């Protein structure tokens, strides 16, 4: 037996937190953090100022003004996101960010003047301009990451940005409420604080290294309606990216419903005052931050779409549990944190809110990373702008639906339940349209909860273009194990009898596996399988094949059949040899003692890949020798 040629041990991967010490990421991170904080300092200070002082400035109802404030801030996202996307694609991003930050300083000066003069028109003008600022910054915020980070860092970087955004929202909301409430000069202090944060954001932006434009020759379109429609149409061409955008927008719908109800939920069901409302917001935000940071570890430094269904399941389960935990709660009096913590039922509510946030992080981070990775680089900012437009529309729809359902007689816990059940329906719809999400989830469960996989050499699988991965065939779950480790989607050619196994058949169909039969058994099925496999390569996709043609009966490599050469003759593509170790003797293998030997969770297995072999050199003998060398004595 040849000695194993295991690829050299991988070097230690840096933590995502190491990015916070690097100039290519840290200045941008703190710039976006301060911008998100400032949005909420000013917005919450304005809302509280209006709620308590509107009577002396206008005859309009304070509740109407508070809701109007939300509409004024979100309107620019629907009108100007397309313009922001064009700016981010056409111009150098670091210089553009600094210009936007200078704009923010000027806006905050207008806001301070509004507080000084106690003029609602000026204050709402400043709020609308802050919406414009955020609209212009949004496309740059997400489009700059793929230019500064490697594919392996993209999930971790997005996790940090999402964590930072929600922490900034929390801190900004708290700071705005505390400062504006200071006796005497609170509004002026809030305006001054906003200016100070804006100046700090501009100062940190000066450290962002130059980031070249992706489409400097772009012909700028000034009509926001035409450009908005054009962006949406372009984004819809890539089905997976479009549905990822819909998934992100749905999360903002879900989150908007919850965040808007915290004040009423605290007052009517928990008996909590303003402090309790802030704590509920903090629990939700901390949960999202924690889930966002955990994504890198759970995805093993790659874009792991399997986390999206996992997150979606949690969003529904804990929404249902929150309904059970709170449906019987009624408030007789309004009290602070001490009274809130004294009730055991409130602890369950707090846990559910944290859990919803954590699973929300699992859900949202891979989707943002997917959009960044699979969007055309020359249109990435405009696609992100289209995503922001959809987000704004979904947030508005969330507010309208919540108002209608509450007016129809639903309680706030009932609204939480309806939103959670709607989430399950939306998830099933998206996963049915894009089976890749569900397939990645099933593979993620296998390689994270059933087995512990050590993968080496997977960088030999090209990032784009046609490719064949050829592996030894040890068990019924080999295809799932490989699919869970290889970043790109893999279409497997497999024996029709394995393809038809109950339960596993559903998984294989979801993966888009191609059943094939020996020529002597069903020549028509064999020809169809070979033709479909060649078509997969023609489309530039990854084809998976087990050259032995069936499961090993004894754990050893069998004879490699010539079917792969037939496929390569039709559509040449490089072949990456792979070897699975550790699955022989498991419950899924054909070992006679499998039931007693290895039916245990977290068993260690390995997947080792060698260098790609050109199509004209990938003979059965060459492939068998390469895979035998990669496998070594392990089975």
């Amino acid at each position: 037996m040849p000695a194993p040629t295991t690829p050299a041990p991988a070097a230690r991967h840096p933590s995502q937190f190491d990015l916070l010490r690097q100039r290519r990421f840290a200045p941008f991170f703190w710039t976006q953090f301060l911008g998100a904080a400032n949005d909420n300092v000013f917005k919450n200070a304005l809302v509280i100022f209006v709620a308590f002082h509107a009577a002396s400035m206008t005859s309009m109802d304070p509740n109407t003004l508070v809701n109007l404030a939300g509409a004024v801030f979100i309107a620019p996202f629907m009108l100007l996101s397309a313009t922001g996307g064009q700016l981010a694609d056409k111009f150098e991003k670091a210089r553009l960010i600094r210009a936007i930050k200078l704009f923010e300083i000027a806006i905050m000066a207008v806001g301070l003047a509004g507080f000084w003069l106690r003029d609602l028109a000026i204050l709402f003008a400043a709020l609308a301009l802050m919406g414009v600022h955020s609209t212009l910054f949004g496309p740059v915020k997400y489009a700059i990451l793929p230019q500064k980070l490697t594919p392996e860092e993209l999930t971790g970087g997005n996790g940090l940005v999402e964590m930072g955004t929600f922490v900034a929202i929390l801190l900004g909301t708290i700071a705005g409420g505390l400062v504006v409430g200071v006796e005497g000069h609170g509004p002026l202090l809030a305006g001054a604080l906003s200016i100070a944060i804006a100046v700090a954001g501009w100062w940190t932006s000066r450290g962002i290294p130059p980031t070249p434009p992706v489409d400097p020759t772009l012909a700028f379109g000034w009509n926001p309606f035409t450009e908005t429609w054009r962006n949406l149409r372009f984004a819809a061409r890539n089905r997976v990216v479009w549905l990822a955008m819909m998934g992100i927008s749905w999360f903002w719908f879900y989150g908007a419903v919850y965040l808007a109800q915290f004040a009423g939920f605290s007052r009517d069901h928990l008996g909590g005052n303003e402090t309790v409302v802030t704590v509920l917001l903090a629990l939700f935000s901390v949960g999202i931050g924690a889930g966002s940071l955990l994504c890198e570890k759970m995805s093993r430094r790659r874009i792991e779409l399997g986390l999206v269904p996992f997150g979606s399941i949690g969003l529904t389960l804990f929404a249902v549990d929150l309904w059970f935990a709170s449906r019987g709660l009624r408030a007789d009096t309004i009290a602070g944190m001490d009274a809130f913590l004294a009730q055991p039922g409130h602890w369950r509510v707090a846990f559910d809110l944290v859990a919803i946030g954590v699973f929300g992080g699992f859900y949202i981070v891979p989707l943002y990373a997917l959009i960044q990775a699979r969007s055309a680089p020359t249109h990435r900012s405009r696609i992100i702008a289209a995503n922001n437009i959809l987000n704004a529309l979904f947030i508005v729809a969330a507010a309208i639906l919540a108002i209608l359902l509450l007016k129809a007689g639903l309680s706030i816990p009932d609204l939480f339940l309806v939103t959670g059940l709607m989430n399950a329906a939306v998830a099933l719809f998206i996963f049915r349209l894009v089976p890749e999400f569900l397939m990645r989830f099933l593979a993620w469960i296998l390689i994270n909860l059933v087995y512990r996989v050590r993968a080496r050499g997977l960088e030999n699988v090209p990032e784009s273009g046609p490719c064949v991965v050829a592996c030894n065939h040890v068990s019924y779950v080999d295809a799932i194990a490989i699919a869970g480790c290889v970043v790109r989607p893999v279409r497997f050619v497999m024996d029709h009898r394995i393809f038809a196994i109950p339960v596993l058949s559903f998984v294989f169909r979801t993966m888009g596996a191609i059943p094939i039969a020996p020529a002597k058994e069903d020549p028509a099925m064999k020809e169809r399988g070979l033709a479909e496999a060649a078509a997969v390569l023609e489309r530039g996709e990854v084809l998976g094949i087990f050259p032995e043609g069936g499961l090993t009966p004894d754990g050893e490599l069998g004879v490699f059949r010539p079917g792969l050469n037939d496929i390569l003759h039709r559509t040449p593509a490089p072949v990456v040899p792979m070897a699975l170790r550790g699955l022989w003797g498991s419950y899924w293998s054909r070992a006679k003692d499998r039931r007693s030997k290895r039916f245990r969770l977290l068993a260690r297995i390995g997947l080792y890949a060698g260098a790609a072999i050109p199509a004209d050199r990938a003979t059965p003998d060459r492939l068998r020798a390469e895979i035998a060398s990669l496998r070594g004595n392990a089975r």
Side-chain angles (χ1 to χ4, degrees):
M1 178 67 64
T5 58
T6 304
R12 172 194 170 270
H13 291 301
S15 164
Q16 64 195 109
F17 293 102
D18 291 338
L19 292 172
L20 295 175
R21 296 194 292 268
Q22 300 177 20
R23 184 170 177 246
R24 62 192 173 108
F25 182 81
F28 160 75
F29 174 84
W30 292 114
T31 299
Q32 67 86 27
F33 180 93
L34 291 167
N38 211 16
D39 280 349
N40 289 276
V41 167
F42 185 78
K43 186 166 59 176
N44 200 39
L46 174 60
V47 166
I48 293 176
F49 180 72
V50 166
F52 287 93
H53 301 284
S56 64
M57 294 180 287
T58 180
S59 59
M60 291 183 66
D61 175 55
N63 289 332
T64 300
L65 285 171
V66 168
N67 287 310
L68 180 61
V72 166
F73 184 79
I74 204 69
F77 285 88
M78 292 182 280
L79 297 174
L80 298 176
S81 285
T83 301
Q86 292 181 89
L87 290 172
D89 280 337
K90 185 175 179 64
F91 297 106
E92 194 273 309
K93 292 183 177 61
R95 183 178 298 177
L96 180 61
I97 289 173
R98 286 190 281 274
I100 293 172
K101 291 292 112 179
L102 287 174
F103 180 46
E104 182 183 5
I105 296 173
I107 296 169
M108 290 300 95
V110 174
L112 177 60
F115 281 125
W116 177 274
L117 298 173
R118 299 173 68 86
D119 189 312
L120 284 179
I122 295 176
L123 286 170
F124 272 79
L127 183 64
L129 290 172
M130 278 302 289
V132 173
H133 159 270
S134 297
T135 300
L136 298 179
F137 186 68
V140 189
K141 172 180 175 179
Y142 287 106
I144 198 173
L145 289 178
Q147 290 184 259
K148 295 299 184 185
L149 305 180
T150 65
E152 294 77 18
E153 295 171 328
L154 204 52
T155 295
N158 273 280
L160 283 171
V161 168
E162 292 305 309
M163 177 275 297
T165 298
F166 279 93
V167 171
I169 290 172
L170 173 62
L171 295 179
T173 301
I174 294 172
L178 291 176
V179 173
V180 78
V182 174
E183 288 291 336
H185 302 292
L188 293 179
L189 290 175
L193 176 61
S194 293
I195 290 179
I197 296 174
V199 171
W202 169 78
W203 185 81
T204 58
S205 73
R206 296 176 63 198
I208 300 174
T211 308
V214 295
D215 192 3
T217 62
L218 173 67
F220 205 87
W222 293 102
N223 187 322
F225 301 101
T226 301
E227 290 304 316
T228 294
W229 179 245
R230 183 177 299 166
N231 281 6
L232 291 172
R233 287 181 59 191
F234 183 85
R237 294 179 191 173
N238 187 323
R239 191 162 177 263
V240 174
V241 169
W242 175 254
L243 289 171
M245 290 167 54
M246 297 296 289
I248 290 172
S249 297
W250 167 254
F251 175 77
W252 284 106
F253 178 102
Y254 184 107
V257 170
Y258 273 69
L259 292 173
Q261 315 312 318
F262 280 170
F265 182 56
S266 174
R267 181 188 64 240
D268 299 336
H269 296 272
L270 305 179
N273 60 13
E274 294 87 343
T275 302
V276 176
V277 175
T278 302
V279 169
L280 297 182
L281 174 62
L283 292 171
F284 192 74
S285 300
V286 167
I288 291 179
S292 299
L293 291 178
L294 285 171
C295 279
E296 185 188 51
K297 183 175 181 60
M298 297 180 70
S299 64
R300 301 201 309 278
R301 294 175 54 82
R302 65 182 188 181
I303 301 172
E304 180 50 81
L305 299 184
L307 289 177
V308 178
F310 185 55
S312 185
I313 290 169
L315 288 174
T316 291
L317 288 180
F318 287 101
V320 173
D321 191 68
L322 180 61
W323 178 73
F324 280 113
S326 57
R327 60 177 178 157
L329 297 177
R330 293 290 183 273
D332 297 323
T333 59
I334 304 299
M337 277 302 299
D338 291 341
F340 174 79
L341 296 175
Q343 296 292 328
H346 293 173
W347 286 89
R348 182 177 173 186
V349 169
F351 175 79
D352 285 334
L353 289 177
V354 172
I356 288 171
V358 169
F359 282 90
F362 295 160
Y363 178 90
I364 197 74
V365 169
L367 289 177
Y368 270 119
L370 175 67
I371 290 177
Q372 294 162 3
R374 297 200 186 178
S375 298
T378 55
H379 288 72
R380 186 178 287 130
S381 297
R382 280 166 282 175
I383 288 175
I384 292 171
N387 177 64
N388 291 341
I389 296 166
L390 289 176
N391 292 348
L393 292 173
F394 273 64
I395 290 172
V396 171
I400 294 172
L401 180 66
I403 291 171
L404 292 176
L405 291 179
L406 291 174
K407 284 186 176 295
L410 268 68
S411 66
I412 291 178
D414 292 339
L415 182 59
F416 291 157
L417 175 65
V418 169
T419 306
L421 296 178
M422 288 175 64
N423 176 72
V426 169
L428 289 174
F429 175 72
I430 292 178
F431 301 152
R432 182 175 179 179
L433 291 179
V434 187
E436 183 182 351
F437 285 97
L438 185 58
M439 182 275 291
R440 299 294 307 190
F441 175 56
L442 297 171
W444 182 82
I445 289 177
L446 180 75
I447 65 174
N448 287 277
L449 302 182
V450 179
Y451 293 110
R452 291 177 296 169
V453 181
R454 173 177 294 175
R456 295 287 185 269
L458 295 185
E459 66 277 3
N460 292 314
V461 179
E463 294 182 2
S464 61
C467 168
V468 178
V469 295
C471 190
N472 57 321
H473 206 0
V474 188
S475 75
Y476 294 107
V477 296
D478 292 349
I480 303 174
I482 296 170
C485 293
V486 176
V487 174
R488 296 177 62 188
V490 183
R491 294 281 305 277
F492 284 93
V493 178
M494 62 175 57
D495 187 286
H496 70 104
R497 290 162 295 190
I498 296 177
F499 182 86
I501 293 174
V503 181
L504 288 179
S505 177
F506 166 75
V507 178
F508 297 145
R509 290 179 189 277
T510 302
M511 294 170 61
I514 303 167
I516 197 168
K520 61 182 180 181
E521 184 177 336
D522 191 336
M525 177 181 284
K526 179 179 179 179
E527 178 56 31
R528 285 196 305 271
L530 293 176
E532 188 172 352
V536 168
L537 295 176
E538 288 177 2
R539 293 193 295 269
E541 300 174 9
V542 179
L543 181 72
I545 195 165
F546 302 103
E548 296 166 272
L551 288 182
T552 175
D554 55 9
E556 299 298 334
L557 283 176
V559 176
F560 279 28
R561 298 183 180 180
L564 175 57
N565 294 98
D566 292 339
I567 297 170
L568 295 176
H569 180 73
R570 303 180 190 206
T571 310
V575 181
V576 177
M578 291 186 177
L580 279 165
R581 302 181 186 177
L583 277 169
W584 176 253
S586 70
Y587 180 79
W588 306 104
S589 70
R590 294 176 63 183
K592 294 180 180 179
D593 58 346
R594 64 187 185 278
R595 293 181 182 273
S596 60
K597 188 175 182 181
R598 288 189 188 174
F599 188 55
R600 67 178 189 272
L601 295 178
L602 298 178
R604 186 177 294 280
I605 64 174
L607 178 64
Y608 297 88
I613 303 172
D616 58 350
R617 300 181 185 177
T619 63
D621 290 342
R622 169 80 181 274
L623 272 178
R624 190 179 187 282
E626 291 282 349
I627 293 174
S629 181
L630 288 167
R631 193 199 67 164
N633 293 321
R635 293 192 300 173

